[in-house]
Amino acid sequence: MSRPRTLPDSDVFAVILQRIAAEGEKSVAFSAISRATGLAGASLVQRYGSLAQMVEAALNWGWDELDRMSVAAAGGADGAETLGPKGAQAFLKGLTDLVGALPMGALLAASLRHPHLRPRAAAWKERVEELIAHHLRDHDAAAMVFAAWQGQVLWEGLETKSFRLKDLVKKLG
């Protein structure tokens, strides 16, 4: 079987982020990404320059995707907006559904190791908290809801259901 001649950056970046999530950032190598995508290692080097540049481009793409998904979730499924706790719940459920296979925890962890990417993470957190605060009309409550939501997202692989986010939103809303 022949190698594909082209593959969109988004497909390459998704593979890189999945690899970071599964095996850590040190597992990302031109040879590993070449095998996973079918692109020649030389093509990857030509396209991205260095390994560090390729990883950074993938992380930036991940934040761009989260930004895009956050805006989409804020618009709601039907464009109608519900304020209050139900609106905050709907926004976070929509965002969780959109994020899907994007490994948010791995993206955050890798970005915290790259000082120049920390501002991207902080800006996204602030933007999502503002969107939650728009519904709850309380910035402190929004920060608590965001933290609880992120905790659920990060720990969902253990499938423990100790509390429901909607119960917290109701109490704070």
Side-chain angles (χ1 to χ4, degrees):
M1 184 163 95
S2 65
R3 290 182 180 265
R5 291 187 144 306
T6 60
L7 194 64
D9 284 339
S10 59
D11 291 355
V12 175
F13 296 155
V15 167
I16 292 169
L17 290 180
Q18 290 301 326
R19 185 153 185 101
I20 290 172
E23 299 180 43
E25 200 171 338
K26 292 187 186 267
S27 71
V28 177
F30 284 121
S31 59
I33 303 307
S34 173
R35 279 190 304 279
T37 62
L39 294 173
S43 296
L44 294 169
V45 172
Q46 185 178 26
R47 189 184 286 192
Y48 303 111
S50 70
L51 184 60
Q53 289 171 317
M54 182 174 73
V55 169
E56 185 175 336
L59 294 172
N60 273 310
W61 172 82
W63 288 114
D64 290 344
E65 285 295 290
L66 277 176
D67 286 339
R68 181 186 63 72
M69 292 172 192
S70 300
V71 169
D78 57 6
E81 183 175 36
T82 304
L83 296 178
K86 286 189 187 272
Q89 291 170 30
F91 165 65
L92 289 175
K93 182 178 181 339
L95 183 53
T96 302
D97 291 346
L98 285 173
V99 168
L102 187 67
M104 198 179 343
L107 176 62
L108 176 60
S111 295
L112 292 177
R113 288 189 294 274
H114 294 264
H116 52 285
L117 288 173
R118 286 181 190 159
R120 290 290 311 262
W124 178 76
K125 175 186 179 284
E126 190 173 309
R127 192 164 23 273
V128 173
E129 283 181 357
E130 284 297 320
L131 291 166
I132 297 167
H134 173 73
H135 293 283
L136 299 179
R137 306 283 189 221
D138 182 337
H139 289 280
D140 290 337
M144 287 185 267
V145 169
F146 177 84
W149 173 68
Q150 280 291 278
Q152 273 192 330
V153 169
L154 292 172
W155 290 96
E156 73 183 345
L158 295 178
E159 297 188 30
T160 58
K161 300 277 184 184
S162 57
F163 88 103
R164 297 181 327 172
L165 188 62
K166 74 178 194 175
D167 293 337
L168 175 64
V169 173
K170 284 179 187 176
K171 285 182 182 185
L172 295 174

